Amino acid sequence: MRAFEYVVAASSAAARTLAREVDGARFYAGGTTLVDLMKADVERPRRVIDISRLPLAAIEQRGDVVRIGALARNSDVAYDARIVLHFPAVSEALLSGASGQIRNAATIGGNLLQRTRCSYFRETRWRCNKREPGSGCDALDGFNRGHAVLGTSDSCIASYPGDLAVALCALSARVVVEGNDGERTIALDDLYVLPGEHPERETTLGPGELITAVELRAERLHERSHYLKIRDRASFEFALVSVACAVELDGKNIAQARLALGGVGTVPWRAREAEAALTGAPPGEAAFRRAAETALTGARTRAHNAYKVELAQRAIVRALRSVCGTGA
Amino acid sequence: MPTTERPAAPAQPAVQLTLRLNGREATFAVEPDVTLLDLLRERAGLTGSKKGCDRGQCGACTVLVNGRRTLSCLALALAHAGDAITTIEGLAAGSELHPVQAAFVEHDAFQCGFCTPGQILSAVGAIAEGHARTGDEIREAMSGNLCRCGAYPNIVAAIAAVQRAR
């Protein structure tokens, strides 16, 4: 690990000031991503700002909005009775990620900002446009079995690795960001940016901006939600493909549907056209398969990840069957 | 954000850190880049917590922080001022083994022993979390602890026995 300055922030405003003062500052919450990548020499912060003691860990319900503090631990959120009841996909996503020890340390805000697991990003001897802008991408023609097929560019095919953000994306979560001009709330969708020619830029957060909370709306649609994760091992492994979905049934048809994919996109991937394909249709194989094909329409595959298209389609069908109660 | 070359920060001198280590208050002079694991092993002389991968993948460094299991290799020591840390050295009550320690002996839940302190503290944490009630739950709860000797069946049996006795 390279030398760095460690400072404890007394308030979120102080944390943001400390971050703006230095080029290359990082917030420290749970440490599970940051310390790992500092050991890998991928993250080289000059200043580490400890925000872990700030009072941002509460989970509160006001009316039909559940607000999860950015410093709430993954395990606390996963087992919170309100989250389990109103947003089962969020609880399932959190419990499918990492290990018990890591879930006790990792925070909600940090989880959203975790970095890709692309091995060419995580090892400094390879070329990576995300790590060293303009250096090239060794994943394009390398071993890219784990890489994205949606939202890719000629500069980057690294997949977004998280589970939580995929579930939050499907459930139209909003992210509360504290910045220089006060607080702003953005759709989770608008937090992430496609790699394009600048994969080093992953979010719309500005210098010194801090995620302080995530908000979810409790409604019938979100109660009937599910997260399905497909991976190489049964536990403690990142997704090859994952599906977050929610449906509201009205009599015999699907009144509303939400669908987001993980493991296949460079960002958490909301499949809006597939949602539209489900709306008004009777829940069943025909509608599920049509939605699945729609969701993967724009897929661009490389040498080793073409299997993800079929795998994602099957996972979508299975997740929809499960959430609609038409068989697992 | 890119990993651009910047001049490294000047090394920051050690600062005083006080925490509760196995029930006793302890103070150390600690630099920012010292992990909780390195503090335990190299400053406090508590070498029971093991450095396996040092990257959060093997679980050998598992300790309890304020009663909750966590990975000491992925935590900066300075971020734990005032916290209560329990390592394998502090788990027994005097000469009486903790029930999980006793169960690991009873069920022969280890071979080489390197992963064992982490396995035991992870098991203590998992049982306290209340999600280690069945074999499947135990296997899922313990997935963050690797055992290269493959003692898994006996580890699961040991934890299940502690669960049954509760």
Side-chain angles (χ1 to χ4, degrees):
Chain A
M1 231 188 277
R2 297 182 188 224
F4 60 92
E5 178 197 10
Y6 171 86
V7 281
V8 178
S11 67
S12 54
R16 293 187 296 99
T17 302
L18 287 163
R20 280 198 310 276
E21 283 171 0
V22 174
D23 180 28
R26 280 284 185 272
F27 296 124
Y28 177 99
T32 54
T33 288
L34 183 63
V35 175
D36 178 34
L37 289 178
M38 285 167 71
K39 289 180 179 182
D41 204 27
V42 170
E43 288 280 5
R44 303 170 184 175
R46 278 176 61 79
R47 174 180 281 177
V48 170
I49 304 157
D50 185 349
I51 59 169
S52 64
R53 312 277 174 160
L54 296 181
L56 295 171
I59 305 169
E60 299 163 301
Q61 183 162 8
R62 292 176 199 147
D64 59 358
V65 174
V66 176
R67 185 182 170 107
I68 306 168
L71 291 176
R73 306 285 158 171
N74 283 10
S75 46
D76 290 333
V77 178
Y79 291 118
D80 183 275
R82 294 157 292 187
I83 301 297
V84 173
L85 173 67
H86 296 300
F87 318 104
V90 171
S91 177
E92 291 167 359
L94 284 167
L95 292 177
S96 76
S99 66
Q101 292 97 312
I102 292 175
R103 290 194 294 269
N104 279 343
T107 65
I108 295 302
N111 187 298
L112 296 183
L113 300 181
Q114 67 185 291
R115 312 296 302 276
T116 182
R117 304 303 295 188
C118 172
S119 48
Y120 302 96
F121 167 76
R122 291 172 55 84
E123 291 247 11
T124 55
R125 66 199 151 110
W126 302 105
R127 294 181 305 157
C128 172
N129 288 318
K130 192 183 277 300
R131 181 165 34 73
E132 299 278 356
S135 64
C137 171
D138 278 327
L140 289 174
D141 296 311
F143 183 61
N144 43 39
R145 175 174 177 270
H147 288 72
V149 297
L150 293 165
T152 58
S153 73
D154 293 338
S155 299
C156 185
I157 56 170
S159 57
Y160 176 81
D163 298 298
L164 171 67
V166 178
L168 292 177
C169 183
L171 303 189
S172 310
R174 298 179 66 78
V175 179
V176 183
V177 178
E178 192 183 293
N180 303 336
D181 305 321
E183 197 176 272
R184 65 191 175 98
T185 302
I186 56 173
L188 182 109
D189 262 0
D190 295 330
L191 175 64
Y192 299 100
V193 292
L194 292 171
E197 290 176 15
H198 291 284
E200 74 277 10
R201 183 167 163 75
E202 296 174 355
T203 72
T204 53
L205 296 176
E209 284 198 315
L210 182 67
I211 295 176
T212 55
V214 169
E215 291 183 344
L216 282 159
R217 189 167 294 277
E219 55 182 275
R220 255 183 75 198
L221 171 68
H222 296 164
E223 282 178 23
R224 195 170 193 142
S225 64
H226 177 47
Y227 186 75
L228 173 66
K229 181 172 179 176
I230 311 289
R231 46 188 161 170
D232 284 330
R233 286 192 297 253
S235 182
F236 200 15
E237 182 57 284
F238 290 87
L240 295 171
V241 161
S242 71
V243 179
C245 60
V247 297
E248 187 173 345
L249 300 174
D250 111 44
K252 57 184 191 335
N253 291 331
I254 296 170
Q256 290 192 74
R258 299 286 181 272
L259 190 64
L261 306 177
V264 291
T266 52
V267 297
W269 195 264
R270 178 84 177 257
R272 285 200 165 77
E273 287 172 18
E275 293 172 4
L278 288 164
T279 306
E285 294 296 301
F288 300 162
R289 286 190 189 283
R290 196 165 59 243
E293 280 160 24
T294 305
L296 274 296
T297 301
R300 282 176 52 193
T301 63
R302 309 291 304 184
H304 307 109
N305 64 2
Y307 75 96
K308 283 196 174 189
V309 175
E310 178 68 27
L311 187 62
Q313 289 175 347
R314 292 183 191 183
I316 290 169
V317 170
R318 192 170 131 198
L320 286 169
R321 258 187 223 147
S322 166
V323 81
C324 289
T326 58
Chain B
M1 299 266 181
T3 310
T4 45
E5 284 296 340
R6 300 184 196 94
Q12 192 175 314
V15 296
Q16 292 280 100
L17 169 71
T18 299
L19 33 70
R20 270 192 92 70
L21 210 43
N22 293 330
R24 289 209 192 98
E25 205 154 90
T27 300
F28 305 91
V30 180
E31 298 81 12
D33 62 351
V34 175
T35 62
L36 182 57
L37 176 61
D38 286 339
L39 176 89
L40 294 170
R41 290 181 57 84
E42 290 167 25
R43 309 289 170 96
L46 298 171
T47 53
S49 304
K50 296 293 185 270
K51 185 180 277 195
C53 69
D54 204 29
R55 296 288 296 274
Q57 298 174 5
C58 77
C61 69
T62 303
V63 298
L64 303 181
V65 175
N66 301 326
R68 299 176 70 166
R69 57 184 174 146
T70 193
L71 299 178
S72 59
C73 78
L74 290 186
L76 296 179
L78 288 179
H80 288 283
D83 284 346
I85 313 295
T86 305
T87 69
I88 193 71
E89 290 90 344
L91 202 56
S95 61
E96 191 178 332
L97 292 181
H98 185 282
V100 176
Q101 289 175 305
F104 268 59
V105 174
E106 171 78 15
H107 290 268
D108 193 19
F110 47 86
Q111 185 173 316
C112 84
F114 187 85
C115 72
T116 310
Q119 297 277 2
I120 288 175
L121 284 155
S122 189
V124 171
I127 291 167
E129 287 160 18
H131 303 285
R133 294 161 299 192
T134 64
D136 281 349
E137 279 193 1
I138 292 167
R139 281 184 280 275
E140 168 59 33
M142 295 296 292
S143 69
N145 292 84
L146 306 189
C147 172
R148 286 295 302 274
C149 302
Y152 297 114
N154 294 4
I155 292 170
V156 173
I159 298 170
V162 174
Q163 235 353 305
R164 276 197 304 276
R166 273 160 66 88

